[in-house]
Amino acid sequence: SIKVVVRVRPLLEREIEKSPECLVDIDTDKSIVLRPGGDLLKARKYREAQRFMFSKCLWSYDRRANVPYADQNTVFTEVGLEMLENTLNGYNSCVIAYGQTGSGKTYTMMGSDEEDGLIPMVCRQLFKRLNQQVDSKIQVKVSFIEIYQENVFDLLGRGNKLRVRENSERVAFIENLNEYNVSDSQETMRLLNKGLENRTTAETHLNKQSSRSHSILTVTVSQEKFDPATGSLVKLKSNLKLVDLAGSEKFVASDGLDKIRQQEGSRINKSLVTLGRVLTILSEKPNQKTVVPYRDSILTWLLKDNIGGNSKTSMIACVSPIDYDETLSTLRFATTTSKIENQVLINKE
Ligand SMILES: Nc1ncnc2c1ncn2[C@@H]1O[C@H](COP(=O)(O)OP(=O)(O)OP(=O)(O)O)[C@@H](O)[C@H]1O
Ligand SMILES: [Mg+2]
């Protein structure tokens, strides 16, 4: 099954001033409760407290006595380590950060100036582990793209639009995408940082540095080693995709967003709606005849194998502690996702 982990972010500076009520609680490390706050309860009676269960619930809201605080290392231990193991063992794997705008996806995946996020930690540890394998031939390649307004751009290239096509086995690929051979984590980090500089972000009313595009970093690892048990040469090839989505957002006419931000927002929402539709169909255990509309958005088309095929996939659902409606919608989305089962294989020759 797709493994789903929830992370509750702390209050942002501009939120602290208003001292809002925290609407979420983590009562065990696997369950999260969302409550309508006092004000909301009076205003709208139909809102109820709801409990959701996930593989893990990570608390980054505050440091309190009875709930362990989840820092960036905790995310790595809970999600990254397993993905690293999968990649080294020849499985395709994928981590997707999902959640409303400003909920902490980019912070979780990339990190901040002070602290590395999941992606830099995974890259570092990957090379550490690969360097320990003295008896095998190893090749690592990276590519980094963004999907902006339903177009693919190479974050490590010259910024031109790229086309998505399908090969004879109906696997989507990006034509003319740059893939770089990397031999250590410094080189990988350099490329990652170059890509991040090229990524489209902008200030919105909800997030100072809002990602206006979905980004996908793909690390492909090929290993060749001699297996003494069978006397043969074994080749393993796996890819690890690290996905930082753009956040969903609601429009309020009075927000005064300019045309570009609005158009970006509606396209972001469109691909997230498609992602939601695809995940819902997949969670209902489709049969051979079910049509899954992967091709309705570039995002789902490129992630087809990761959400409905040969990949060990995790989702990190990021939530705000003070937004009942958006958090409820993210938790429901995450619950649907957790029902999806993939068929995984070791990619071995
Ligand atoms: N766990 C956390 N600890 C400390 N700060 C956090 C945490 N999560 C998020 N933040 C802060 O919250 C703000 C918004 O986070 P971030 O940019 O990661 O949101 P996002 O989900 O990527 O939003 P968007 O969809 O708009 O890109 C940032 O200033 C970030 O530093
Ligand atoms: Mg972001």
Side-chain angles (χ1 to χ4, degrees):
S1 299
I2 295 187
K3 170 177 166 171
V4 177
V5 169
V6 172
R7 185 180 200 189
V8 185
R9 71 151 165 79
L11 290 178
L12 309 177
E13 247 163 71
R14 62 177 159 76
E15 292 170 339
I16 293 172
E17 293 162 19
K18 298 180 199 144
S19 56
E21 185 182 351
C22 177
L23 305 178
V24 290
D25 265 321
I26 285 182
D27 49 1
T28 71
D29 67 344
K30 289 185 166 40
S31 85
I32 178 167
V33 177
L34 175 66
R35 288 174 285 100
D39 294 348
L40 291 173
L41 198 58
K42 264 181 257 154
R44 294 165 123 172
K45 287 231 166 57
Y46 67 85
R47 294 182 200 234
E48 288 173 347
Q50 307 217 23
R51 171 178 276 108
F52 295 85
M53 306 282 293
F54 296 105
S55 290
K56 200 87 191 182
C57 296
L58 301 176
W59 185 253
S60 306
Y61 177 74
D62 61 4
R63 292 171 195 270
R64 51 178 72 173
N66 49 353
V67 188
Y69 181 82
D71 61 12
Q72 302 286 65
N73 278 315
T74 317
V75 178
F76 176 72
T77 315
E78 291 299 336
V79 182
L81 217 50
E82 197 181 315
M83 289 299 136
L84 201 64
E85 218 57 54
N86 294 336
T87 308
L88 293 168
N89 290 329
Y91 292 104
N92 293 337
S93 48
C94 175
V95 182
I96 304 173
Y98 179 88
Q100 76 177 97
T101 180
S103 58
K105 299 178 293 295
T106 303
Y107 180 86
T108 298
M109 297 302 278
M110 310 292 176
S112 60
D113 292 340
E114 290 84 44
E115 255 190 313
D116 277 348
L118 188 64
I119 292 179
M121 285 193 206
V122 165
C123 290
R124 272 205 193 95
Q125 290 300 323
L126 176 71
F127 284 101
K128 216 179 205 170
R129 293 286 303 272
L130 287 173
N131 286 339
Q132 288 164 1
Q133 299 190 18
V134 281
D135 53 347
S136 47
K137 216 168 103 187
I138 291 158
Q139 192 185 40
V140 183
K141 285 183 178 176
V142 294
S143 68
F144 197 15
I145 60 145
E146 72 173 343
I147 304 170
Y148 178 66
Q149 302 209 14
E150 285 299 287
N151 288 305
V152 176
F153 295 91
D154 187 349
L155 289 173
L156 304 178
R158 296 218 182 83
N160 44 326
K161 244 188 243 179
L162 299 178
R163 271 181 65 197
V164 180
R165 301 186 49 189
E166 246 172 26
N167 67 14
S168 53
E169 280 138 38
R170 308 213 59 189
V171 178
F173 71 96
I174 302 165
E175 203 173 40
N176 298 326
L177 175 67
N178 285 305
E179 269 193 298
Y180 290 88
N181 282 314
V182 282
S183 51
D184 55 39
S185 61
Q186 285 94 315
E187 221 177 325
T188 315
M189 292 307 296
R190 251 200 315 279
L191 288 173
L192 182 66
N193 288 329
K194 179 180 166 197
L196 286 178
E197 273 171 29
N198 290 335
R199 189 173 178 198
T200 311
T201 59
E203 176 164 359
T204 65
H205 58 302
L206 291 170
N207 187 355
K208 266 210 180 115
Q209 258 224 325
S210 179
S211 319
R212 311 308 291 163
S213 66
H214 310 300
S215 77
I216 307 178
L217 177 80
T218 307
V219 183
T220 309
V221 180
S222 309
Q223 304 171 73
E224 238 183 76
K225 49 188 151 191
F226 183 73
D227 179 10
T230 57
S232 55
L233 190 67
V234 178
K235 290 184 189 174
L236 294 177
K237 188 173 179 182
S238 49
N239 62 55
L240 170 62
K241 288 189 194 166
L242 299 151
V243 185
D244 177 21
L245 296 177
S248 55
E249 58 194 289
K250 279 183 295 204
F251 294 114
V252 186
S254 61
D255 284 343
L257 285 179
D258 60 47
K259 269 241 162 64
I260 296 176
R261 294 289 93 75
Q262 278 190 26
Q263 189 185 17
E264 280 172 0
S266 72
R267 297 243 166 102
I268 291 169
N269 286 350
K270 190 190 146 220
S271 58
L272 292 174
V273 167
T274 307
L275 178 65
R277 248 177 45 230
V278 166
L279 293 179
T280 304
I281 293 171
L282 292 172
S283 72
E284 288 161 354
K285 312 278 178 282
N287 57 34
Q288 295 285 319
K289 286 190 199 132
T290 316
V291 179
V292 186
Y294 292 110
R295 289 187 57 164
D296 281 7
S297 81
I298 298 285
L299 179 70
T300 45
W301 198 11
L302 290 177
L303 293 182
K304 182 178 169 190
D305 227 16
N306 302 99
I307 51 183
N310 175 21
S311 164
K312 295 204 177 200
T313 299
S314 289
M315 174 175 280
I316 305 178
C318 297
V319 298
S320 148
I322 56 170
D323 189 331
Y324 183 89
D325 289 328
E326 291 283 359
T327 298
L328 181 61
S329 136
T330 300
L331 295 175
R332 284 187 174 148
F333 188 97
T335 303
T336 303
T337 305
S338 67
K339 291 182 187 144
I340 298 172
E341 286 171 14
N342 278 346
Q343 305 281 333
V344 295
L345 289 169
I346 295 182
N347 304 300
K348 185 169 163 180
E349 259 177 55

